Every structure is written in C-alpha cells, then in structure tokens.
Amino acid sequence: MSDSDGKKPLGLRGSRPGQVKQSFSHGRTKNVVVETKRKRVVVPKPGAAGAAGKATARPVPGGDPAKRPAGIPDAVMERRLKALRAAKAQEAEDLRRRQEEEEKRERDRQRRREEAAAKEREEIERQEKARRKAEEAESKRRAEEERARKGAAPASAPASPAPAPAPRGGGKPSAAPRRQEREQRRDNKGKGAARGGGGRRSGKLTLNQALSGGEGGRQRSLAAMKRKQERARQKALGGGEAREKVVREVQVPETIVVQELANRMAERVADVVKALMQNGMMVTQNQSIDADTAELIIEEFGHKIVRVSDADVEDVIHTEEDKPEDLKPRPPVITVMGHVDHGKTSLLDAIRKTNVTSGEAGGITQHIGAYQVTTEDGTVLTFLDTPGHAAFTSMRARGAQVTDIVVLVVAADDAVMPQTIEAINHAKAADVPMIVAINKIDRPGADPDKVRTDLLQHEVIVEKMSGDVLDVEVSAINGTGLDQLLEAIVLQAELLDLKANPDRAAQGAVIEAQLDVGRGPVATVLVQNGTLHLGDIFVVGEQWGRARALVNDKGERVKEAGPSVPVEVLGLHGTPEAGDVLNVVDTEAQAREIADYRHQAAKDKRAAAGAATTLEQLMAKAREDKNVAELPIVVKADVQGSAEAIAQAMEKIGNDEVRVRVLHSGVGAITESDIGLAEASGAPVIGFNVRANATARKVANQKGVEIRYYSVIYDLVDDVKAAASGLLSAEVRENFIGYAEIKDVFKVSNVGKVAGCLVTEGVARRSAGVRLLRDDVVIHEGTLKTLKRFKDEVAEVQSGQECGMAFENYDDIRKGDIIEIFEREEVERKLE
C-alpha cells in the first residue's frame, strides 16, 4: 500500500514543487520533495503613473524604498513599525514595573528584619528581666532559710524536706522558654523524625531511648534551639544573606598531599577531590600533587597561593631562644672515655653498684650505654658509657657531642694509649671540661705520676701538676676514690650552671638505634631540651614516628622524659642513624613531610656525588680496580652504631692490591634476602650479635653460603684480615748465592757457545737463575742449559773452582762478563 493511496498530495496554493537532497551520517542521503512559495508581484493599475510619480516625491514610510523587502506595501510597513514601537514601549514599562516591585520587596524585607530584630531584643530583655527577678526571689528564699535555720532550736523537730532545686537561672522558669518550646512543638508537629530535627520521632521505642531516657541520650541546648529559630526566621524572610568568602593565603611546597591542601584552604576534602577529578586527575586524599596542580585548585576555590621551597617544611621545628625565666636546672651529662680495657665500664659499674661488664661479650663494651645515677646528696647524674676500641671512634665522637663533662679513664699500670689520645681530641673538639680518673691504682705496677706526666705531652695539665684539670685516683674493684670522683663531677657541674627549658617541645639526640624483633625500631634518645611526652609526634633524621612507649635505663615505662634524661623510644617508622637529632612537631603530616624531604635530599646528594665523576675518572678507576682483588662481605649487626663501626673498620683493611668491600650493612637478623645477595656475589655473611632465621639457614646450606657469627669486634677484624690476606699474591724474594767470571768462550758442536768460568764467590747451581752482567749492566736474565765440571754434568760448583756454563737460548757471551747466580723464594704476605 503506497503512502498516497492514489490521492493527490497536499500542497500550498500558488507554490512550485521542487526537490532537496538531504545528507545524513555514514554517507546516507535522501531526496525530499518541497514546495516553494511564489513571490508576489504587484502590478500597478493603468493610469496610476501620475499618482505614482507624486508618491515618489513624499518620504516612504520605513526608510529607503531600495532597502525595503520587495512586495511589501506602505500600509503593511507602517503597521509593522507601529507594532515595533509599541513593543519597545511595553518592554520599557515592564522593566520599570519590575524595578518598582523589587524595590518594594526589598523595603518589605528590611522592615520585617527590623521588626524581627526589635522583637528579638524585646524577648532577650524580657528573659533578662525574668532571670534577674528569679535570682532575686532565690536570694530572698535563701536568706529566709538561713534566718530560719539560725533561729531554730537544736532540739526542734526535723524540718520539712527542702524544695526541689530550682532550674538554672532562678526559682521559677521564665515564660519565654516555655512559649518557645510550645511553638517549637507546634511547628514540628506532623514532621518526620529527622536526626536532630527536634520534632516527634516516629516508630517504636528503641533500646537507646529506653536506657538514656531521651532521644538517643542527646539533649538539645538552648543555643542550638536559637540557631534553628534564626535559620527558620532567615528562611521566612526570603533567605539569609550569603556569608562573605574568607580568602586565605595557602602555602604550597613542590609537592603536597591532597588532604593537607584541603586543611590549609579550610575546605572539605571531598570538594577538593571533586575539583581535581573535574580537572582530569583521579586521585585520593592521601596522594600527592605538584605545586602547579595545587595552584589551579587554590585559584578555583578563590584563595591565594604562596609558593614555598621544599626546605621551608623544616620551619615548623621551633628553634626560638628560651627566655631566661623559663630555664630550670638540669642534670649534667657525663661521658666516660678512655682506651680499651682501662676499666671504664667497671668504674661505671662501681658507681651504679651493678654489673654491666658481665653482660658485654668478652668484657668489652660494644654499644653506647646511657644511665642515670643519684648520689647520696640527691644530685642526679646522667652517664654515657662509650666503647674504647678504635673501631668505635665515631661512636665516641657522637658521645662527646652531647656531653657536658668528660671523664677520661686512664689505667695507672698502662699509661696513655692511642684511644686515650683520641678521647682527649674528641673532648677538646667538643669544648667540654675534662676530669681525669686514674684507674687501677690497686695494681702492683701502678704509677699515677707517670700518667700525669704522659698527659702533659697532650696539653692535659692536671691540678697536681699546677693545671686546671681535675684528677682523681680511683679503683673500680676496691671502690677507692669513687666519692671523690662524684664530688669532682658535681663541683664541675655547679660551675657550668647547666639549665634547660622543660616546658617546650622536646629536642634530643639519638645515642643508639636498633631494630628489635618484638618491638620494632628502637632508638636510645638523650633529651637535651624540653620534655618528651608519651604520644608526641616527632621527626628524627630521615624517619618519623609517634612515641608509643618510653622506657628508662632501669627498664621501666615512663610517661615523659625531661632534659638530660635518656630513654628508649618506641613507635618509629624506621631505624634512624645514631647521632640524628629528634624534634617534636605538631602533626603527623608535618613529620611525614619533613622526613620525606630529608630522605629525598639525602638521595639527591648521593646521586649528585655519583654523577660528579667524569668519564676519564671512571676509566682510570676501572683500570685501577682491574688490578685490585676484592673481598665482598655482607654485614648484619644488632644496632646501627655497631654496623656503622664495622663498615668503617672494613674500609681500613687492605692496600693497593686487595681491599674489603661491604656489599650491604644493616640492622636485624640475617634474612633470606641477605643470603641471596651473598650467593650472587660470592660473599660470606657476617653476623655481629645477631643470628640467621630458620629460612635463611636452610637457604645458606643449600647454596653453600658461609655465615660467620661474632660477638667481639677484635675477632671479626682479625678474621677478615686473614681472609683478605689470602687474596694477596705471594711475595717473590731473590737470594744471591754466587758469582762467576767468564775466562774464555768456546764453541761446541750441537751445544753452541760455552763459557769457561771461574766461580769467584758462593756457589753455582744448575737449578738456579742467572743474569749476565757486562760492565755492571744486566744484558740477559735466564736459566742455565748446562753446567759441567770437566766433562761431567754437575748440580753445583763451589767457589774457587772452574766450570763450563751454557745459557738457554742465548749465545752473546764474551770474555770478562760476570755471571750472577740467584734463587727465587715465594713468601706469603699478610695485611697489617
């Protein structure tokens, strides 16, 4: 069935049919039949030419006839212009009417606001009057009760029960709050039980309501009701005025976390994340964005950006000077220094009346110990015990940096030793006073005067030698002179007048750090200023954390640590370096930002140091390394200070031919990853006071990796030296055993030239090496082909005898040449 059904299609009268080609997507086209309206042609009537001529003389309505559309008569054009003028007039009238209505509404709103404000003032005045009246009534009632109580006899009958306590603000409650409550209930009647709406709740009684006796245990305050009434009044008046936008200056570093950016702008985190997503960045609140992106978001929210450097993140650490009135006395920090095995720890044992030495491997202190001692007169002293071995030089240097007084322990039977001199230099570098404790005076060979004399060579002049350095003769075993030593320390501390401000954010130094299996990273911190509280957020070096627990030197948990108090701090996110400075900050975001900045700065510094090497330097180093044998090792220690000391000791082992290379040094137990690293590089694993776990031991047995355990650094250094010595090539020594002079040269068939020689010194051997000297210049070095005595081949010829010699592959021999005979000997070498 066709669309037309045989009927004539509809069309416009006086139109012309035509076709239009329509184009669609994907190359589709369609022909559409259209009809166009014929243009109306006005033909002038006969005889109207004169009238038309006259008409041309007068102005044509609507402007120039040449610009008028064809076929429009003058009457139509006049009607159109009249309608246009009427529309413009009507539009101006409507605009004027709208402005008048808007002004009227604004006056009405202002009048209603003024009336509401006046009513509010009246209500407040009425409530104030009611409150004052209630207070007066209450005061009168109390005065009457007081008079009645005074006038009543002691034996009178018990008084009637006291009236119920009056509500806050007076006796009778004022009528205004009751009227407000009634209006509130009437307004909220029939509304849903929205949270915090204040209306009647629908549904059954909940357990929370039954137990608390109210709507979930929450009571609406009078201030909350006033705020709600104010919002309702503003809504009734046509909406309150929009609050003015607070424009803030937002400090932005190179990178910033989204949540921190929202906090600095005082905007909702969800709005900031939404704005970032609208800009094409799908991030969460815990991710970081760069400064350019942050600038776009800040400007979008209407704030101002202040660009800051990455280093400015450390400005949050308070470094202002303390006021003199805030300073309070603090205990002195005393560092015990001296040569190994001179009795430092034993002396501290005697002072503490404990036994620390028995807990150290081999009786040698491996770590820095921090202890507090209270004297008989109540003075508190903080002691730092530093190791005396040469490998712990850096640890002793850190001890000198945080100390106030240095006690230099020198054995009376051993005098001044190398580590004693180092301790003196550390004390001088730290510019701290020194007290010399001459220990072991009970030994038979003790000579305290020799110690004093030896100290003069190092510019340490004790009082007995007319100097200003205190010296005390003590015996850690017998306890002799300990009281005098403590008196000298207290006297020196009084002269120093040590003070600190305990009422500020804590600042301290990390004495030692270790990775405990059960407790995680643990740092021994000596608080230098302020007070470290439990729960404080701090940053230490490249690490940060929250003080989860504080443990003092007696193993007890404490809630705070003041100046000069050593504590173990738990709650770190990583193991810091010994010697790092601890600073307390306000928020976790600040601590994380500072730690990340320091970590990145240290990383960039290491990368820059490696990138500064030129290509020529790299080639020269490669040529040098080609001739150097390396002994790779993997070191794991119990604490950071020990690992650092072992790594420094390993760097000192070696010479131009062999050296020790520490592939990795860390803190904690030996793990499977350590075994994998050692297996890949063919290195042994050295554990210092740590052990390998079960998995690591199994893998080491399978892959043949050697694990060596040590608890004394002496043995570790000696064994590594012995292993490195095995990489040295044997030393070849030459022993000259004789000289011979050529008297004549003969030619022998099938042999060549043969020298007739006279052994002038020593002995000539067939197996020895020889050199041919001509005019005391070596012209040939080699071996003998034959050595004959008369016609017989002999093994050696003694001095004063003649013999015949022929050289291997060399015939240029002459009469008068000297033959030097020597033997080579290989000697094993050892590293010093």
Side-chain angles (χ1 to χ4, degrees), residues 354-377:
T354 58
N355 189 4
V356 178
T357 308
S358 59
E360 294 285 359
I364 303 166
T365 303
Q366 311 288 339
H367 313 116
I368 290 183
Y371 317 101
Q372 276 200 321
V373 176
T374 304
T375 60
E376 294 180 356
D377 58 352

Side-chain angles (χ1 to χ4, degrees), residues 676-803:
L677 176 62
E679 191 266 338
S681 55
V685 180
I686 294 177
F688 187 77
N689 286 334
V690 296
R691 295 293 182 268
N693 55 36
T695 306
R697 289 196 300 269
K698 183 179 178 181
V699 174
N701 292 333
Q702 291 175 353
K703 297 184 177 181
V705 176
E706 182 184 9
I707 302 177
R708 303 290 295 271
Y709 299 122
Y710 297 93
S711 57
V712 178
I713 198 170
Y714 290 122
D715 302 334
L716 189 153
V717 174
D718 292 342
D719 287 359
V720 174
K721 277 186 178 179
S725 298
L727 299 177
L728 289 172
S729 59
E731 181 181 357
V732 178
R733 295 180 182 175
E734 293 184 355
N735 298 322
F736 297 99
I737 59 175
Y739 289 92
E741 182 182 355
I742 300 177
K743 296 296 185 180
D744 203 351
V745 179
F746 306 96
K747 288 186 178 181
V748 180
S749 59
N750 299 328
V751 177
K753 287 185 178 182
V754 177
C757 305
L758 173 64
V759 179
T760 59
E761 183 181 344
V763 63
R765 289 196 180 97
R766 172 73 176 81
S767 59
V770 291
R771 291 192 184 97
L772 184 63
L773 307 180
R774 186 173 297 164
D775 297 330
D776 293 329
V777 177
V778 178
I779 61 173
H780 175 68
E781 179 178 345
T783 58
L784 291 177
K785 182 167 59 174
T786 179
L787 177 62
K788 289 187 177 184
R789 172 83 172 144
F790 300 106
K791 294 184 179 180
D792 300 327
E793 188 79 25
V794 294
E796 65 179 23
V797 177
Q798 298 296 327
S799 175
Q801 298 179 352
E802 294 182 347
C803 62

Side-chain angles (χ1 to χ4, degrees), residues 121 276 354 379 405 408 465 475 502 518 541 544 632 702 736 804:
R121 286 194 298 271
L276 286 166
T354 58
T379 305
I405 302 171
L408 181 65
M465 309 290 289
S475 173
W544 70 279
Q702 291 175 353
F736 297 99

Side-chain angles (χ1 to χ4, degrees), residues 141-274:
R141 184 182 63 79
R142 290 180 179 176
E144 291 176 358
E145 289 180 356
E146 186 68 23
R147 286 195 298 270
R149 193 181 305 109
K150 289 181 179 179
S156 62
S160 60
R168 180 183 178 186
K172 276 189 174 185
S174 61
R178 291 184 177 179
R179 184 164 57 254
Q180 290 180 1
E181 291 178 3
R182 286 198 299 271
E183 292 176 357
Q184 188 72 19
R185 287 197 297 270
R186 185 166 58 252
D187 292 340
N188 295 328
K189 188 175 181 180
K191 294 183 180 180
R195 178 179 176 85
R200 186 177 61 188
R201 294 180 181 273
S202 62
K204 297 181 180 180
L205 180 67
T206 63
L207 181 61
N208 190 20
Q209 294 173 353
L211 292 177
S212 60
E215 297 180 353
R218 296 181 60 187
Q219 300 293 333
R220 293 182 62 81
S221 64
L222 185 62
M225 295 174 62
K226 287 183 178 180
R227 286 195 298 269
K228 183 174 181 181
Q229 290 175 359
E230 180 66 23
R231 288 195 298 269
R233 184 165 56 251
Q234 293 291 344
K235 187 176 181 181
L237 294 177
E241 297 179 358
R243 294 184 180 180
E244 184 179 356
K245 177 73 174 180
V246 179
V247 179
R248 292 179 171 82
E249 291 186 352
V250 184
Q251 294 184 352
V252 178
E254 294 300 323
T255 58
I256 187 171
V257 180
V258 175
Q259 185 175 11
E260 180 64 19
L261 177 62
N263 294 339
R264 294 184 182 185
M265 292 192 300
E267 304 285 352
R268 295 175 60 224
V269 180
D271 295 341
V272 177
V273 173
K274 183 179 179 182

Side-chain angles (χ1 to χ4, degrees), residues 490-741:
V490 173
L491 175 61
Q492 189 68 59
E494 290 177 355
L495 294 175
L496 293 175
D497 191 22
L498 302 170
K499 291 184 179 180
N501 181 12
D503 302 324
R504 58 169 291 176
Q507 178 182 353
V510 177
I511 303 300
E512 192 52 86
Q514 61 183 346
L515 182 63
D516 194 289
V517 177
R519 301 185 296 173
V522 180
T524 302
V525 177
L526 178 67
V527 181
Q528 295 174 294
N529 206 355
T531 302
L532 181 62
H533 300 275
L534 192 67
D536 279 351
I537 301 169
F538 58 85
V539 57
V540 48
E542 300 177 23
Q543 308 296 334
W544 70 279
R546 183 189 292 269
R548 185 162 46 86
L550 302 176
V551 183
N552 63 9
D553 57 320
K554 300 178 182 62
E556 303 169 350
R557 292 208 171 195
V558 295
K559 293 185 178 180
E560 61 181 23
S564 301
V565 177
V567 288
E568 283 188 339
V569 180
L570 281 69
L572 288 147
H573 286 75
T575 306
E577 298 287 337
D580 287 341
V581 178
L582 180 143
N583 294 102
V584 173
V585 295
D586 296 331
T587 63
E588 287 188 5
Q590 292 175 351
R592 188 187 302 109
E593 200 171 6
I594 295 172
D596 292 344
Y597 162 71
R598 291 179 177 176
H599 176 72
Q600 186 63 36
K603 185 177 178 181
D604 294 344
K605 186 177 180 181
R606 290 190 295 267
T613 307
T614 62
L615 182 60
E616 291 78 6
Q617 292 173 338
L618 288 174
M619 296 295 291
K621 189 174 185 303
R623 286 192 296 270
E624 293 175 2
D625 294 345
K626 185 177 180 180
N627 300 323
V628 178
E630 283 188 345
L631 174 63
I633 61 172
V634 177
V635 177
K636 293 300 287 290
D638 55 343
V639 295
Q640 185 68 36
S642 297
E644 180 182 341
I646 293 171
Q648 290 179 357
M650 296 300 103
E651 291 178 358
K652 297 179 182 178
I653 298 176
N655 51 22
D656 296 337
E657 299 179 36
V658 64
R659 66 187 174 198
V660 179
R661 181 184 176 193
V662 180
L663 297 176
H664 171 67
S665 65
V667 178
I670 299 172
T671 61
E672 187 178 355
S673 61
D674 299 326
I675 302 299
L677 176 62
E679 191 266 338
S681 55
V685 180
I686 294 177
F688 187 77
N689 286 334
V690 296
R691 295 293 182 268
N693 55 36
T695 306
R697 289 196 300 269
K698 183 179 178 181
V699 174
N701 292 333
Q702 291 175 353
K703 297 184 177 181
V705 176
E706 182 184 9
I707 302 177
R708 303 290 295 271
Y709 299 122
Y710 297 93
S711 57
V712 178
I713 198 170
Y714 290 122
D715 302 334
L716 189 153
V717 174
D718 292 342
D719 287 359
V720 174
K721 277 186 178 179
S725 298
L727 299 177
L728 289 172
S729 59
E731 181 181 357
V732 178
R733 295 180 182 175
E734 293 184 355
N735 298 322
F736 297 99
I737 59 175
Y739 289 92
E741 182 182 355

